[in-house]
Amino acid sequence: MMTTSTSSSNREHPRPLLTLAAALTVALLGLAAIVQATMGLNVVSTEDGRRLDVERAPREIPFAAVNRPPATTLASMLGTDGRVTIVAFIYTSCNSVCTVLGSEFQQMQQAIRDRHLQDKVRLMSISFDPRDTDQRLASYAVRQRADPAIWNIVGIDAEAQRHAVLNTFGIVVLPAPLGEFVHNAAFHIVDSDGRLAKIDDFDLPSKALADAVAMYEARRK
Amino acid sequence: MIFPSQFSARARFVASTAALSIALGCAPWLEASMLRHMFIQFPLLLLCGWLLSGPLAKPSWPRRLDEYGITGLTLLLFVSAYWMIPRALEMSLTSHIAQAGKVASLILLGALLPGSLSRSPWVVQLFFLGNFGAMMAIAGIQYQNMPQRLCNAYLLDDQNLTGVALVMASILISILWCARLAPIISFQVSENANVASKAESRIDKVTRP
């Protein structure tokens, strides 16, 4: 009974090897695609992918004119200062995470002063909101008690240049209810050559500061 | 029952083109939300392929490469797994190549799946669809449990809602599969029982002097 049923199914399907080869090909291609999308089975989220990508290949900052101080470009501010910069993206009307980032920057400013790191590390807030004119940013700087020697707050007026900077940093801004924005907030560490080299989580300011100092020291050696 | 063959070729082609036009024409709106992206655009692309699957059933090459539906069901597992990776989903928003890959892979899956399902025995279906459903449910639970956003392009509420939808879809697919296969399985069981009793009677005849 068993032998007859097997032989009859063999007659109906004479080439199981073809199917096996096709299924194996599909599986291998599928696996290759999954390995590629997860950057070698390392990440599943876009944000983790962005961070790993930046660590593997630091990014040059594109040309963008900043509004405070005028007639300066972001790349020259970041690349010719000699210090490592911790960059955070903000909008001044923010009531949620930027307020946290703001107070974290206040505390980091104090930590930089206390530990005499102002020759190695500095802070920069970049606004992604076109409504943030230089006056608004200036009053934000006063509210935050930002010391311009340690903490710069800038905006980019030209839309195309602003988008180029956001794309390079990998910032995605989504409009949210109540006129707010949702964005992937983080500490972006830009090395003394002006390249985005590392991204740390926004709830780990001490790690960001330690990474920035380590990056500065590594460059000195 | 699986092939949309009762409709004329022209009707199927028109419907298929319509599904594709909606999926691509309304892409900015559909892709603005994770839920709409996965649960409106994906099914539209699968439908587009499914409506074109009639002609594919006739030539013999897909059958020879896809005996028992194993190749098509393997494709189902990998295509669905790939597009449930949040980074892959978001890359389809930012890269034209990824977008083209998404459209092509889902249309191809939709076109091959009906034939594969019709060729596969229920045990094979149980294996592949069981894996597919489990994967979908686990991904859905992960989407709901994550405190962070998995895609930078989508809000956390949207991600949670998509997670719920993934779990619900996996349950719904399992129920539909059981409902569709229950009569076939019970028929096969009774047929096997008949065969067994006939064999027994034959053995009785042979062994009895």
Side-chain angles (χ1 to χ4, degrees):
Chain A
M1 198 60 211
M2 281 297 283
T3 44
T4 35
S5 79
T6 322
S7 70
S8 79
S9 73
N10 272 352
R11 228 177 298 133
E12 275 170 36
H13 307 285
R15 294 193 196 87
L17 273 179
L18 268 179
T19 294
L20 216 59
L24 211 62
T25 310
V26 168
L28 285 176
L29 287 175
L31 215 58
I34 287 170
V35 166
Q36 186 266 338
T38 56
M39 300 182 78
L41 306 179
N42 279 311
V43 299
V44 290
S45 72
T46 317
E47 182 60 14
D48 288 342
R50 171 176 86 112
R51 294 178 186 190
L52 187 59
D53 198 47
V54 161
E55 267 178 57
R56 284 183 183 172
R59 299 178 186 176
E60 301 285 341
I61 310 301
F63 172 82
V66 296
N67 55 14
R68 306 180 67 245
T72 317
T73 71
L74 187 63
S76 78
M77 271 183 102
L78 291 168
T80 59
D81 182 83
R83 290 179 288 182
V84 172
T85 312
I86 302 175
V87 173
F89 286 83
I90 57 146
Y91 62 106
T92 60
S93 51
C94 177
N95 290 313
S96 54
V97 72
C98 312
T99 331
V100 179
L101 273 177
S103 71
E104 276 181 347
F105 260 17
Q106 279 179 334
Q107 287 168 27
M108 283 164 90
Q109 180 174 255
Q110 196 52 48
I112 288 170
R113 275 204 202 106
D114 293 346
R115 290 162 59 189
H116 307 291
L117 297 172
Q118 52 266 54
D119 296 332
K120 300 177 179 174
V121 181
R122 64 160 175 174
L123 309 172
M124 184 183 283
S125 300
I126 303 177
S127 169
F128 54 74
D129 188 351
R131 294 171 303 179
D132 284 336
T133 55
D134 53 346
Q135 291 96 337
R136 269 176 76 159
L137 290 171
S139 66
Y140 177 79
V142 171
R143 279 206 307 279
Q144 297 286 333
R145 295 189 205 89
D147 173 359
I150 300 177
W151 182 2
N152 294 104
I153 298 167
V154 304
I156 300 160
D157 288 334
E159 195 182 338
Q161 293 173 6
R162 190 169 57 244
H163 284 159
V165 169
L166 292 178
N167 278 341
T168 299
F169 277 87
I171 305 297
V172 181
V173 181
L174 300 173
L178 305 171
E180 300 267 335
F181 292 106
V182 168
H183 61 109
N184 45 338
F187 293 120
H188 304 79
I189 306 177
V190 177
D191 66 17
S192 48
D193 293 329
R195 295 178 314 159
L196 171 62
K198 197 167 188 336
I199 301 173
D200 280 326
D201 218 69
F202 77 88
D203 50 15
L204 297 172
S206 51
K207 183 175 187 300
L209 203 52
D211 283 343
V213 172
M215 202 177 282
Y216 178 84
E217 303 291 356
R219 193 84 186 89
R220 284 276 300 273
K221 277 171 197 164
Chain B
M1 104 134 242
I2 301 173
F3 289 107
S5 50
Q6 60 267 46
F7 305 107
S8 73
R10 185 188 288 176
R12 273 184 275 128
F13 183 74
V14 169
S16 175
T17 313
L20 185 64
S21 318
I22 298 169
L24 296 183
C26 304
W29 180 74
L30 292 173
E31 291 170 354
S33 136
M34 194 186 227
L35 188 69
R36 291 197 296 265
H37 194 171
M38 274 196 180
F39 284 89
I40 301 180
Q41 195 191 46
F42 281 20
L44 277 171
L45 292 170
L46 289 168
L47 179 72
C48 168
W50 179 72
L51 288 164
L52 295 173
S53 69
L56 266 181
K58 296 208 174 75
S60 62
W61 63 265
R63 254 177 272 177
R64 268 187 280 138
L65 291 175
D66 188 24
E67 283 172 27
Y68 303 112
I70 286 170
T71 309
L73 288 167
T74 307
L75 187 71
L76 167 72
L77 287 190
F78 280 96
V79 168
S80 57
Y82 184 83
W83 294 114
M84 282 192 282
I85 299 170
R87 185 165 181 269
L89 186 72
E90 187 158 356
M91 277 200 293
S92 80
L93 304 176
T94 50
S95 142
H96 293 300
I97 297 168
Q99 176 76 316
K102 180 183 77 182
V103 171
S105 65
L106 290 171
I107 291 178
L108 181 71
L109 180 64
L112 292 181
L113 208 51
S116 300
L117 283 173
S118 72
R119 277 189 291 276
S120 60
W122 72 269
V123 186
V124 174
Q125 291 186 12
L126 179 67
F127 173 77
F128 281 98
L129 295 182
N131 266 305
F132 169 68
M135 190 167 66
M136 210 169 172
I138 291 168
I141 291 165
Q142 290 292 322
Y143 275 42
Q144 292 172 67
N145 283 349
M146 282 288 165
Q148 316 96 353
R149 295 184 301 141
L150 290 164
C151 288
N152 285 336
Y154 296 123
L155 300 175
L156 198 58
D157 289 349
D158 194 11
Q159 175 177 312
N160 281 330
L161 217 57
T162 309
V164 173
L166 280 170
V167 173
M168 278 166 54
S170 76
I171 294 170
L172 196 70
I173 289 168
S174 311
I175 292 173
L176 284 176
W177 183 80
C178 289
R180 196 173 77 80
L181 243 77
I184 303 173
I185 293 171
S186 65
F187 172 72
Q188 280 186 348
V189 168
S190 64
E191 199 183 42
N192 285 347
N194 284 342
V195 168
S197 66
K198 272 180 197 162
E200 267 170 29
S201 65
R202 214 181 304 152
I203 290 165
D204 283 352
K205 275 177 197 163
V206 173
T207 48
R208 234 177 258 165

